[in-house]
Amino acid sequence: MKCSQTRAIQTHMITYPHLNFHKTLFGGQLMAWLDETAGIAAVRVSRAAIVTASVDHLDFLAPLKASHSVCIDAYVSGVGTRSMEIFAKVIGEDLFTGERYLAGTCFMTFVVPKGSSLPEEIEPETKEEQFICQGYEARKQVRQAKRQESLDLAQNVDLTIPWN
């Protein structure tokens, strides 16, 4: 399956309800939009009910200002047996000047239910897709190590709430 066959794109206008104290897009809103867009890409490759397993890496590179638009472009950048990695780029645009800028990048992992199947590989076509996809295995190893670290941490987290 080609990366382009999994691509999902959403564009939003940045308006008052989405702003933080600095009159730029609230990061939590961007994260929700990223999860939705990346989830669509994940379903396009799996054709199954997916679950977000992790936001592996989210870099905020430039603020998204009020009255600008934000375009999220996401596609599958690697597949395993039951999990897949999605790459998303966040493109801001000053609608009055037409200037576009890279506002962020994100890698997320989604998991499919047992019994679901994923293609054996994802085929990159563009220079960008080739660059992103070639790093999949290395990022997967880092994710697996981080997952084990998180499981170890969870064994030592106290669930007592101090005020009860």
Side-chain angles (χ1 to χ4, degrees), residues 48-49 51 81-83 111-117:
V51 174
T81 308
R82 288 194 47 225
S83 67
V111 176
V112 297
K114 289 181 182 173
S116 298
S117 63

Side-chain angles (χ1 to χ4, degrees), residues 23-123:
K23 297 189 175 137
T24 59
L25 181 64
F26 172 58
Q29 180 63 64
L30 178 60
M31 291 174 75
W33 287 338
L34 280 163
D35 192 40
E36 184 177 334
T37 310
I40 292 168
V43 171
R44 285 191 171 144
V45 75
S46 67
R47 298 298 177 197
I50 48 88
V51 174
T52 307
S54 63
V55 177
D56 305 321
H57 205 215
L58 171 57
D59 286 313
F60 296 96
L61 302 174
L64 292 151
K65 298 177 184 175
S67 79
H68 286 201
S69 71
V70 57
C71 178
I72 299 166
D73 180 359
Y75 54 87
V76 176
S77 52
V79 291
T81 308
R82 288 194 47 225
S83 67
M84 68 196 94
E85 175 189 82
I86 314 296
F87 170 72
K89 58 185 171 184
V90 180
I91 301 167
E93 181 180 353
D94 181 328
L95 294 171
F96 296 112
T97 67
E99 177 192 355
R100 290 186 178 165
Y101 51 96
L102 186 62
T105 58
C106 183
F107 287 97
M108 301 178 77
T109 299
F110 290 82
V111 176
V112 297
K114 289 181 182 173
S116 298
S117 63
L118 294 172
E120 287 188 22
E121 65 180 46
I122 292 294
E123 182 184 335

Side-chain angles (χ1 to χ4, degrees), residues 1-5 76 121-126 129 133:
M1 177 174 267
K2 297 178 180 178
C3 290
S4 60
Q5 293 173 285
V76 176
E121 65 180 46
I122 292 294
E123 182 184 335
E125 298 172 285
T126 69
E129 291 168 352
C133 291

